[in-house]
């Protein structure tokens, strides 16, 4: 078989419960790509497009009254535009894409947190995304107490951060279950450690992934 002439661009997502350290570790991922001079686009959900960012405002505003189904549909509405306008075009140009959250968050928050049946979310996932899935999902994990402590430090809590501990317990459980069910796609990172240690783990995951797929 003839080897690949060039590496296919990868779609990587970073996810985890609030307070798991996404911001810090997005910077780690940025550094990794910069050090290797690989083309990459950083984006986020909900958001990433004008309509997606407008939906984000609504979804995160504590004053918004939206039922669990509406909330779920808005997440997927934002996602569809994001995939069409940003993610797929970048991948087609050979640019890797890193998304700060993706569909795992819908399973975890709207499914685990709010109680939308996971199989209903899976139906929407297939409808909105077809077979499109991340090539790699880095799941940052911390114990609930750590998450609660970190969220507690936020001055202004968004609509999700205002939820109680039980909500986040269920969110975390769904993330971990999904990762356990598809270990080939997920890298679970214990981010309740020294930042340097977490950085090493993330670098190792990215090294391994790109060696495997290049
Ligand atoms: P977050 O990513 O934590 O942004 P910041 O780091 O700026 O606080 O905020 C997004 C929130 O939206 C987060 O609480 C999780 C929630 N969310 C869902 O509930 N479902 C989804 O599908 C997505 C993408 C996010």
């Amino acid at each position: 078989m003839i080897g690949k002439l060039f590496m296919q661009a990868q779609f990587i997502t970073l996810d985890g419960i609030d307070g798991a350290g996404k911001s810090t570790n997005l910077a780690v991922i940025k550094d990794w790509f910069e050090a290797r001079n690989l083309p990459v686009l950083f984006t986020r959900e909900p958001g990433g497009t004008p309509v997606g960012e407008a939906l984000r405002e609504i979804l995160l505003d504590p004053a918004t009254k939206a039922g669990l189904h509406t909330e779920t549909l808005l997440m997927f509405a934002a996602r569809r535009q994001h995939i069409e306008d940003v993610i797929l075009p970048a991948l087609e140009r050979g640019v890797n894409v890193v998304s700060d959250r993706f569909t795992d968050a819908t399973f975890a928050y709207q499914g685990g947190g709010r109680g939308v049946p996971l199989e209903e979310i899976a139906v929407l996932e297939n409808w909105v995304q077809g077979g499109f899935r991340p090539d790699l999902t880095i799941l940052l994990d911390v114990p609930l107490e750590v998450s609660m402590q970190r969220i507690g430090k936020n001055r202004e809590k968004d609509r999700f951060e205002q939820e109680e501990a039980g909500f986040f317990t269920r969110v975390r459980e769904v993330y971990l279950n999904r990762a356990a069910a598809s270990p080939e796609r997920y890298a679970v990172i214990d981010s309740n450690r020294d930042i340097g240690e977490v950085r090493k783990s993330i670098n190792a995951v990215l090294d391994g992934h790109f060696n495997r797929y290049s």
Side-chain angles (χ1 to χ4, degrees):
M1 202 177 97
I2 302 168
K4 272 189 209 150
L5 290 179
F6 52 85
M7 187 179 66
Q8 205 168 345
Q10 296 292 295
F11 178 43
I12 297 169
T13 63
L14 182 67
D15 235 307
I17 53 175
D18 284 273
K22 273 192 308 106
S23 318
T24 310
N25 291 302
L26 269 174
V28 168
I29 298 175
K30 255 182 204 146
D31 289 346
W32 187 91
F33 276 95
E34 252 169 44
R36 283 154 192 81
N37 217 4
L38 289 172
V40 63
L41 177 82
F42 284 82
T43 185
R44 70 171 179 182
E45 290 211 348
T49 66
V51 73
E53 290 294 327
L55 290 172
R56 180 187 180 92
E57 287 265 316
I58 295 170
L59 283 160
L60 268 53
D61 182 350
T64 295
K65 304 259 183 295
L68 64 174
H69 297 96
T70 304
E71 183 179 293
T72 304
L73 290 167
L74 293 179
M75 291 293 179
F76 273 110
R79 179 161 303 130
R80 175 68 192 213
Q81 203 68 42
H82 193 207
I83 293 170
E84 274 179 28
D85 289 359
V86 177
I87 301 175
L88 288 183
L91 293 172
E92 277 158 19
R93 291 196 309 272
V95 174
N96 298 291
V97 176
V98 176
S99 185
D100 175 351
R101 298 195 185 283
F102 196 62
T103 312
D104 287 296
T106 312
F107 280 99
Y109 282 78
Q110 282 64 53
R114 301 277 193 233
V116 177
L118 299 182
E119 53 283 8
E120 290 180 12
I121 297 176
V123 169
L124 289 173
E125 179 185 41
N126 288 331
W127 185 64
V128 169
Q129 300 173 213
F132 183 67
R133 303 287 182 276
D135 297 301
L136 167 69
T137 295
I138 298 177
L139 179 62
L140 299 175
D141 185 54
V142 291
L144 197 73
E145 310 79 71
V146 176
S147 154
M148 294 290 96
Q149 217 177 17
R150 290 184 184 163
I151 298 174
K153 289 189 189 137
N154 290 2
R155 280 147 301 153
E156 274 185 54
K157 294 196 177 116
D158 67 37
R159 212 164 129 266
F160 294 101
E161 290 167 339
Q162 292 185 345
E163 291 296 333
E164 23 65 69
F167 178 92
F168 289 102
T169 305
R170 298 191 298 276
V171 168
R172 182 179 180 221
E173 211 171 79
V174 171
Y175 274 130
L176 292 175
N177 287 344
R178 286 177 62 74
S182 311
E184 66 291 347
R185 164 145 89 83
Y186 293 85
V188 182
I189 305 282
D190 172 6
S191 65
N192 187 29
R193 291 177 296 160
D194 175 80
I195 293 179
E197 291 301 312
V198 178
R199 177 184 285 271
K200 270 190 222 157
S201 299
I202 290 185
N203 286 345
V205 165
L206 291 171
D207 285 340
H209 183 80
F210 277 80
N211 286 339
R212 188 146 55 105
Y213 286 94
S214 57

